[in-house]
Amino acid sequence: MTKADVEEGLKQNSRWKLIGSVSKVNGECVLNVKPELLPMSNPLANVMGATNAIQYETDLLGLVTLIGAGAGRLETAAAVLEDLVSIFVQPY
């Protein structure tokens, strides 16, 4: 990621964010962490500083975004990862 990448993203009314994601593919959890260019219309694009956010999709509500103050970088990351893994390994 270069300064030019950031500037080009802003010209496109977008912002680069480091996004962690979890999905289920063929019954397996697939985890990724990578920079993604998000449009400013995405609530995650405007999460800054010590604020945490999670975005997930549901059958009934569609896309849901939760944003709030963080408890700390490591504590929050551990809790979110634990929650996401629990969601995907729970039998329904």
Side-chain angles (χ1 to χ4, degrees):
M1 182 71 49
T2 67
K3 181 179 178 184
D5 293 329
V6 172
E7 290 171 350
E8 182 59 33
L10 292 174
K11 286 180 188 173
Q12 297 175 28
N13 200 30
S14 299
R15 182 175 283 141
W16 286 99
K17 301 299 278 187
L18 186 61
I19 301 294
S21 64
V22 178
S23 58
K24 208 173 222 182
V25 178
N26 298 324
E28 302 271 332
C29 286
V30 177
L31 296 94
N32 284 300
V33 177
K34 62 183 180 179
E36 292 188 28
L37 189 59
L38 301 177
M40 292 296 194
S41 60
N42 185 318
L44 295 181
N46 298 295
V47 173
M48 308 297 271
T51 304
N52 294 313
I54 184 169
Q55 196 171 62
Y56 56 94
E57 192 157 354
T58 71
D59 292 336
L60 296 176
L61 298 174
L63 192 61
V64 176
T65 304
L66 301 172
I67 300 172
R73 187 173 61 200
L74 297 177
E75 297 84 355
T76 301
V80 168
L81 182 58
E82 181 181 359
D83 290 347
L84 291 172
V85 169
S86 294
I87 289 168
F88 282 99
V89 296
Q90 293 292 329
Y92 292 94

